[in-house]
Amino acid sequence: MDLETIGTVQETDSVQDVNRLLDEGWVLIAIATGKHTEGEPWIRYSLGQQYEDEDEEDEDEEEEEGEDE
């Protein structure tokens, strides 16, 4: 994974959110652990969504237009 291609970053402590984002194509960047002041453990997940290159989008549109002809 190339971090330079990450356009959006989201952090969550919800496993359900992590699974949903992974299903949507996000990638796991990091996992952090620690303890709350009360001593309860916590896990924080950082996920990234890759941005689409505008040039790549333009190429996709041109290919689709070429197929219609």
Side-chain angles (χ1 to χ4, degrees):
M1 171 186 51
D2 187 3
L3 292 179
E4 292 178 357
T5 65
I6 300 297
T8 305
V9 174
Q10 181 170 332
E11 291 185 346
T12 183
D13 58 0
S14 166
V15 174
Q16 292 83 7
D17 287 344
V18 170
N19 287 328
R20 179 181 51 79
L21 292 170
L22 290 172
D23 285 343
E24 293 175 5
W26 290 61
V27 293
L28 188 61
I29 298 173
I31 301 173
T33 60
K35 290 187 179 181
H36 293 283
T37 54
E38 306 85 32
E40 288 290 315
W42 56 260
I43 300 175
R44 193 88 174 149
Y45 304 91
S46 298
L47 296 103
Q49 183 180 44
Q50 296 183 346
Y51 66 88
E52 298 225 7
D53 187 9
E54 290 180 13
D55 292 336
E56 188 176 302
E57 288 178 9
D58 292 342
E59 289 174 11
D60 290 343
E61 289 175 9
E62 288 174 9
E63 286 177 11
E64 289 175 7
E65 288 174 6
E67 292 173 3
D68 292 339
E69 295 175 5

